[in-house]
Amino acid sequence: MSKALALELDRPARRPHVAWGISLALGVATLLLTRHSQLPGLGGLVAPWALLILVLTLGRSTTMLALMPLLAYGSASVIGSALAGRDVADAMRFFIVLLATILAFNVRPRTISQPWALAPVALQCVLITALSVGLGVMQDPLVAGTVREMAIENAWGDVYSFDGIYYRVQVIGNALIPLLFMVCLWERKKRFFHKAGLLVSALGLVAAGNLTYFIVAALALALRYRSLLARQWLLLFLLIPLMAVSAIIFSGDAQEIIDRKFEGSDSSMGVRFDQVDAAQRSFENSPASLVFGAGLGARFPDGKERNYSEFLYIELQALYVTYQIGILGMLLYMLTVAWCVRRRLNMEGRSIFWLYMLSGITNPYILDTNQIVMTMLLVHLFPARTTPPAP
């Protein structure tokens, strides 16, 4: 670690009001991310607010030099898109987001107030849990249908159930729930907020009903308690047959859920397979684009089932960005991210960061504003070196 970075991370918090200000600003950011779809007029504020926080809290660090190769590659991609006659505004939008996800590692770490910054995410968990439980208790298909119709018509997301009991509330704003769960899991012994946050985020994960979130939560638990699990070999020995019996008992329900998830081209996974197929056909027509990309801002090719070119975000957003910058550009991006993660986050922060990225790999919640805010939060909460006590 460079002396400049070490001094930056060890600098005393001489101005606690600044830390409080950053806490409040990040709280507003998470509030916008979780509520902007339900409150008209807030949608256009999400990205500008996150970028404003980023610009105002940037610190000088040698890790910013890691941005140079990606800056050069992205600039060439934008110029290529402009020469190809594509929308320059779209190209710049994606370019700024990519750069901002890297710059977010370079904010000056301060010990912020976690309750202020993360309370809106906890509120999201409470709201979707209440809706999921409420619909399950009422057992009224008419009310459930009305709620789902409202969610879809207003582009909030979807609310549905396979059995009329367990309702999945998959709406915009859920992306940060795994982050809250993991932060509270690692920090659960510190404050009441973390204990309460762990409970409500666990309920929120269940209410969201996203399979990827469940996988990430299980991996987080395994990482957090890996030493305990390694010692309790007898417990593991007893759990294996219990899990096997449970799998047999609930295999029918699990199979039904899998069938519904994969059945048909308009199913959850059917849409994602259609996106992969659309990208594959495009790469076959232009092999060079597989390596160098179609150019930042290029619209994703239409699939057999849907016209993805009408949208700037699709389910496989990582695939969309890869389509734009190619395998070479995505490799450069991931290497830059990996280097920044190692330099700017401690071990806990690194684990949470990669698990969050995994939670969004099949959802449109990485390589966007959610990731920018998540990275800034982790740099403040889990910096590469310890910071002074919280204000």
Side-chain angles (χ1 to χ4, degrees), residues 281-360:
R281 285 186 283 108
S282 177
F283 289 143
E284 288 175 352
N285 294 331
S286 178
S289 66
L290 175 62
V291 179
F292 301 105
L296 280 168
R299 292 303 182 102
F300 197 79
D302 293 332
K304 296 178 181 178
E305 302 297 332
R306 298 186 184 182
N307 295 328
Y308 303 110
S309 60
E310 299 176 3
F311 307 98
L312 287 175
Y313 290 91
I314 63 173
E315 283 78 0
L316 297 181
Q317 191 68 9
L319 177 63
Y320 188 2
V321 175
T322 302
Y323 171 76
Q324 295 181 62
I325 62 178
I327 293 178
L328 181 60
M330 183 54 71
L331 179 62
L332 177 61
Y333 175 79
M334 291 307 299
L335 287 174
T336 305
V337 169
W339 193 79
C340 289
V341 167
R342 184 173 179 80
R343 297 277 293 186
R344 302 293 294 182
L345 299 176
N346 61 20
M347 289 298 296
E348 292 81 4
R350 296 172 199 171
S351 298
I352 295 174
F353 178 87
W354 291 118
L355 285 171
Y356 176 87
M357 294 295 285
L358 178 61
S359 74

Side-chain angles (χ1 to χ4, degrees), residues 59-375:
R60 290 178 296 177
S61 170
T62 55
T63 54
M64 294 186 70
L65 296 175
L67 193 63
M68 295 301 105
L70 186 65
L71 178 63
Y73 189 93
S75 299
S77 185
V78 170
I79 293 172
S81 285
L83 293 176
R86 298 193 182 94
D87 191 331
V88 177
D90 286 347
M92 291 304 301
R93 177 192 181 101
F94 280 97
F95 186 37
I96 291 172
V97 168
L98 279 179
L99 294 182
T101 57
I102 304 295
L103 281 174
F105 287 103
N106 295 281
V107 295
R108 181 171 297 170
R110 294 179 182 273
T111 307
I112 61 173
S113 171
Q114 297 184 33
W116 280 38
L118 294 170
V121 188
L123 175 62
Q124 175 80 0
C125 296
V126 172
L127 292 176
I128 68 170
T129 300
L131 180 58
S132 177
V133 173
L135 292 175
V137 170
M138 282 191 294
Q139 292 287 290
D140 190 332
L142 182 61
V143 173
T146 301
V147 170
R148 186 182 191 196
E149 183 179 353
M150 183 184 302
I152 294 175
E153 285 185 356
N154 290 280
W156 295 343
D158 198 359
V159 181
Y160 63 95
S161 173
F162 294 143
D163 54 16
I165 299 175
Y166 172 31
Y167 282 86
R168 294 161 176 81
V169 186
Q170 298 183 349
V171 294
I172 293 174
N174 287 357
L176 292 177
I177 295 178
L179 176 67
L180 176 64
F181 176 80
M182 290 184 286
V183 168
C184 291
L185 179 65
W186 261 273
E187 305 269 73
R188 66 181 182 83
K189 294 183 179 180
K190 288 191 174 181
R191 293 183 178 183
F192 171 77
F193 171 79
H194 298 107
K195 296 179 176 65
L198 184 60
L199 175 61
V200 298
S201 61
L203 294 174
L205 289 174
V206 175
N210 189 304
L211 179 60
T212 308
Y213 292 177
F214 292 150
I215 294 173
V216 167
L219 289 174
L221 286 167
L223 281 173
R224 181 67 177 87
Y225 299 108
R226 58 185 180 276
S227 58
L228 176 62
L229 291 174
R231 294 195 302 268
Q232 300 296 330
W233 60 269
L234 180 59
L235 177 61
L236 287 175
F237 182 77
L238 294 175
L239 282 176
I240 291 174
L242 178 62
M243 293 172 63
V245 172
S246 300
I248 294 173
I249 294 175
F250 297 105
S251 60
D253 294 336
Q255 186 61 48
E256 181 182 358
I257 292 174
I258 293 173
D259 289 342
R260 288 175 181 267
K261 196 172 184 65
F262 285 84
E263 184 179 11
S265 58
D266 60 342
S267 65
S268 175
M269 293 307 298
V271 170
R272 289 165 173 80
F273 287 138
D274 188 43
Q275 292 167 5
V276 172
D277 178 68
Q280 181 179 350
R281 285 186 283 108
S282 177
F283 289 143
E284 288 175 352
N285 294 331
S286 178
S289 66
L290 175 62
V291 179
F292 301 105
L296 280 168
R299 292 303 182 102
F300 197 79
D302 293 332
K304 296 178 181 178
E305 302 297 332
R306 298 186 184 182
N307 295 328
Y308 303 110
S309 60
E310 299 176 3
F311 307 98
L312 287 175
Y313 290 91
I314 63 173
E315 283 78 0
L316 297 181
Q317 191 68 9
L319 177 63
Y320 188 2
V321 175
T322 302
Y323 171 76
Q324 295 181 62
I325 62 178
I327 293 178
L328 181 60
M330 183 54 71
L331 179 62
L332 177 61
Y333 175 79
M334 291 307 299
L335 287 174
T336 305
V337 169
W339 193 79
C340 289
V341 167
R342 184 173 179 80
R343 297 277 293 186
R344 302 293 294 182
L345 299 176
N346 61 20
M347 289 298 296
E348 292 81 4
R350 296 172 199 171
S351 298
I352 295 174
F353 178 87
W354 291 118
L355 285 171
Y356 176 87
M357 294 295 285
L358 178 61
S359 74
I361 199 66
T362 60
N363 298 287
Y365 302 124
I366 55 175
L367 302 166
D368 72 339
T369 309
N370 284 280
Q371 182 179 332
I372 296 170
V373 173
M374 178 272 299
T375 301

Side-chain angles (χ1 to χ4, degrees), residues 22-24 26-28 30-31 112-121 377:
I22 295 173
S23 303
L24 179 59
L26 288 171
V28 172
T30 55
L31 178 65
I112 61 173
S113 171
Q114 297 184 33
W116 280 38
L118 294 170
V121 188
L377 280 167

